[in-house]
Every structure is written in C-alpha cells, then in structure tokens.
Amino acid sequence: MQQARKPSLIFDRWPRYASHRPWTVVLGALLLIATLIVGAQVVGGEYKDTFEIPGTESQDAFDLLSERFQGLGGGDAATIVLKADAGFDAPETKTAVADIVARFAALPGVAEGGVVSPYDAPGSISQDGTIARFDANYTVPAFSILTEDLDALFDLRDELSGKYDGIRVELAGAVATAVQEEPGNSELIGMLAAIIILLIAFGSVVAMGLPILTALLGIVPGLMLVKLLAAFVDLASFTEQFAMMISMGVGIDYALLIVTRFREGVTSGLSVDDAIARAMTTAGRAVLFAGSIVIVSLFGLWASGLPFIGWVATATAFVVATLVIVALFVLPAVLHGIGPHIDKLTVPFIATKHTSGDHGAGTRWARLIARYPIVWVILSLALLGTLAAPTLSIRLGSADAGNNPESSTTRRAYDLLSDGFGAGFNGPILAVFDIENEAGAAAIQTLPEKLQALEGVAFSTPPFMNAAGDAGLMTIIPTTAPQDEATSETLDRLRAFLATELEGSGATAYTGGLTAVFSDMAKKMSDGLPIFTAAVIGVSILMLMVVFRSVLVPLKAALMITLSVGVGFGVVTAMFQWGWGQGLIGLDSTGPVESFLPMMLFAVLFGLSMDYEVFLITRVHEEFLITGDGKEAVERGQAVTFRVIIAAGLIMSSVFFAFALGDQRVIKEFGIGLGTAIIVDALVVRMVLVPALMHLFGNAAWWFPAWLDRLLPNLSVEGPALPAPAGASDI
C-alpha cells in the first residue's frame, strides 16, 4: 500500500482553490486568452515553407546560387504552361502569347528580365507544337513572396484562361506550389464526430460539452502562441493544421478522462468539491504524465536535423502544453459550476448513470479476456502483424504535383508538361558550379553532351555563367517523374559522375532543386530515425519505470506502442504507395510516402498511444495497490476504463480521419496514419492485447529490483491509494 503523502499544490490544493473561487479562475483564463488573441493579431507572423536541410548538397547548391547569382536574387520561379489548340505557329497564338508573356513579366515581385518568351528559349515548345512553357523568375524564394503578389499571380492566370479561345494557362513550379489549398471543414467534421461519440458515452448534453469546452479553451490560446512563434522563426505552412489535428484529439481526451473520474466520484456519493479533488488527484496526474510524454516525443523531432520539422514539433508541443494546463488549472473551476448538473439535458434512450460493476459491458469484456488470455494474445498479434506488414516495403520520398487533385492548376500543369515534354520536366535538377579558374570554366562547358549520354537524363541546358565568371548554372531534365524511385537513382548517378568528371579541374558541382531537396531530406530522415526512435523509447521506458515501479510494464508498453505505430505505417504504405482504397479519400494516383512522415508519425503516435497506456495501467496499478492481486487488478482496471478508452480512441481517430478528407496529400497521410493507429491501439492493443499479457504476467508485472528502486526517484501518477468508491464500475 502507498504511504500517505503531503497534499500537492497542483493536484490537491489548487483544485479546492479553483472550486471555491471558480469565477476568479475562469475570468482570469478568459482574460489571458483574450490577451494572447490580441497579441497574435498585432505581433504574430506568417507561415513560411523554408525546407532548409543543413549539411546536404542540395542546401550547398541553394546557398551558392543565392550568393553568386545576385541577378536571380536566389529566387524561385513560377512556370507558366500553355496549351494552344491551334498550335504555336498560328499567328493568333503568337499574338496571344506575346500579351501573356508581357502580363506575367509585369507582375509584382518578378525580377526585371525574369521572363523569356517560349519562342526565344530553345526547347520550350513541345514537338507537336501545342504545348509551351516559360518561367516567371521572382527575386526571392517562394516562401518569402508576399501574399498579395501570390494572389496577383493566380488572379492573372484566372483572367488569361478565359481571355483567349483555344488557349489554356496553368501554373507549376515552386512559386505555384507555395499557395496551399484551403483546409476545408476538417476541423468541423472532427468536432461533430467528437460530439456524437461523447453524447453516446455520457448520455448528457452537459457532460458532453465539458470536454469540448475544455479543448477549445486550450486550443485557442495554443494556436495564438504558435502565431506569436511564427514572428520569430520560420514555421511551415502546414504547422497550424498539424497542430490543430493533434490538439483537438488530445484536448478532448484529456478532459474526457478527468470528467469521467469526476462523474464517478459524484455518482458514488462524494460532494462536488471532493469529487473534483479525487478526479484531479488521480486522472489529473495521469493527464500531466501523458501530456509530458507527448511533449517529450515532439521535442525529440529535433533529432531529425531538419529545422522546419523541429519547429513544427515545437509549435505543436506548445499547444499540447496549453491543453494540459487548461485541463489541470481551469477545468476544476468549470466542474464546480457545472458539477451538480453534470447529467442534465439527457439524450433519450441513452443511460447517464454508471452500470453496476458486476453487470457492465466493460466487466463482461474484461472477464472474457481473463478467461482465454493466450488465445487473445495470438489473435491480436496476428491482426497487428498483418496490418503492419506493408511497412517492410515503404519507400520514402516526396509526392509530386501529379498527386494533386485535378481541380488544381498545378496538377493540370503537371499533366500538360508530362504530355508535351516528358514527366521529368516537372522536376528539373539544378547543377550549380563553384569555379576557381579558367580551367574549371572550360571543364563545365564540356558537360552537357556528356550528361545527355548518362542513363536517366533526358537533356541538359548549356551552362549559364554569372557576371563574375566564378559560378555556373545548368538545368538537367531527368527522364522520369520527380517522385519516381528511378529519379533518385538518376540523381545519385549524376552526383557521382560530376564529382569524378570535375575532380582536379578547378570546378566543383553541387546539385539542387526540389527533386534533390526531397531526396536529401529522405536520406537525412532515414539516417536519423534509428537514433530518434531509440531515444524516445528509452526516455519513455525510464519515465514509466519511475512512475509504476515495474520492469515488465514499461518494456511491454514500448513494444505495444511500437506495434501500433507499425500499423499506422503499414496502412499509409498500402493506401498511398500501393493505392489500396485510395478512392475513399479522393486520391487517384500513387507515390512515395513523404520522407518526413515516419519520424513525425512515430513521435506523435508514441506520445498519443502512451496516453491510453497510462489511462489503463494507472487504474490497474490503483487496483493492485488495493487488492495485491495482479490478475484481479487487471480485470477491475480494464472494466472501469473500458468506456473511457474506447470513447477517447473513437474521438481522436475520428478527428484524424476527418483531416484525411482535405485536399493536401501530406495532411491525408497524417490523418490516415494517425487515425488508423489510434483506433487499433484503443480497441485492439489496450482492450485486448495488453490486458491479456498482464494476465499472463500476474503479480510478476509489478516486480522491480531493489537496486533499481533505490536508484530511481519515486513518483506517482495515480496519487494516494484511495478506497474504491461504492458502485465504481464500467465508466
């Protein structure tokens, strides 16, 4: 049994203070939120896609290009793709193209002389004479272009598309892809799903509203902090949507756990204040611990070596931390005001009261698992292994514009370029040369003819020299699409060829461009993944040992969560890489899995799955401290967490699946991967596999060597051992 401990500030004294002064706490929280909203509107920054990859050849190429080609400003280009039904030799087409070129050259932000007519640039008109392309070179990188300048670009495309009969105008290139599709109604769909599930779980509109309200009170200030962070660092354009996707599920789940324990206390006869204190002493501790693991996992993404990934994770960690703070410090005050009315506004035909512990669905299911643990272990492992198997063939890279919806101009431009010039035109490779002397300058002049004989290269432009003559630039077009594995192989051959060919010549080559950037990103992420995985798992095992004083429980937790993550990877691979069932989410083409997805998915899923581990094992540990019987503790702990874990899993997975309905492929990947892994973790891992294993472990699950007990500090998630409330049951 646990020894009595002094009341803690967060879990004992603060909840009672918040109960006695609820309006002070709520009004103070609202004032702070309002201050953050105003501050974010005044000081907050804009999101920027920087994609810097320190220590890679593509980054070296970009740096050299920015330094030596000042006339280009280190800027990116919008590629304008034209389709003329009458052909580009027709007089009326030539007149229209002259006007189109002049209009794009006059756009704000476009470099002086940064637009060249396709008639004046060899190779810019397709062999059949119906498709042409030209670039509008901007003075700054795509992520630095002003919003109004991007709007002007797309507005001009819309205007010109309807101006000339038989001529289509589409946009491609880095600048065009800098404009993100609107996120749509994913958040609203996810919230609606959460409301329906909570209504079924609680049977009361009031009880349903508490987790939703708490989540909103945490999400709003969290996103304002992200907006403020964007004023000081470059945050990727998908940061806010990614943070929203994670925080909606986390915020509702954390509040759900505390509200469930509060209702249990009220139902068992405790006063509102005592029920709040009990909920915070038990569930509040679990929320703090679970949230801490999510935050640790997110900060671990700095191990990727990619600043933009690290800052996205940091921003998301800010929101998660805000949600934990609201759940611990504001929710007790809200519970005091609503407490006596927690089961008001009931939903017809849905019970609001707890069922008896001897007859509840959770108890019946827990007893079924306890009766045949070995069978359940075998069946669940077979299911998890099947779903995770596709992970073995995962291919990392970056999906190109050919995966965009057909309604987007970038997808239509991609198809036109592929038809007119070959798929490789959608992903040119830039070779930037650092020239030391005249011999180096002469050496690069001989390269185009040699490069065009290289496997995988369609053709190469002649070198373009800067004004100082100390740098050169070539564009190399591969024969395959940017996302094809063959293109990565071509890049590797190209780099090896240039290094060998220019050795000792007085010139050094650096290959860049988006194709090279994403290839380097995939390699860097793959190299960092083992170290990151080992670090996150190691820290989590250590934290669980400190809390639960067990060896088997933390090791089992790490293995189970890794299985859940594997399921997420497997389903993403099967759907996005193999094409299985992709029509269900509005996709019509396949491609590699985004290179940064595995590490980010692992961090998020490991943290979120640990939530359910903590929710379940905390209750099992509580029961073990009371009964001293390992098997009975598992059965009782599973019974009382049955509904809350299933509801939490359904809510979080529904939120994630809702985001898979948007247009952005990368958000679809996150939504499917996270949603699948979470629902499988809640329904299969936590409700079947973990309890079955714990039954097999018996009391040995709580074995902890004396030397390790002395070495590690002693913390507790569940707080002081409390007598089981009368009627505690299947919540």
Side-chain angles (χ1 to χ4, degrees), residues 254 287-299 536 539-541 543-544 561 603 606-608 610-611 614:
Y254 289 171
V287 166
L288 177 61
F289 182 72
S292 298
I293 291 183
V294 174
I295 292 170
V296 167
S297 297
L298 287 169
F299 276 117
V536 170
V539 171
S540 299
I541 289 175
M543 292 175 69
L544 288 172
I561 294 171
F606 199 90
L608 297 182
M610 190 64 78
D611 289 354
V614 172

Side-chain angles (χ1 to χ4, degrees), residues 29-30 33 212-222 322-323 326 330 334:
L30 293 176
I33 292 173
I212 300 294
L213 174 63
T214 305
L216 292 176
L217 287 174
I219 290 173
V220 171
T322 306
L323 289 163
V326 169
V330 182
V334 178

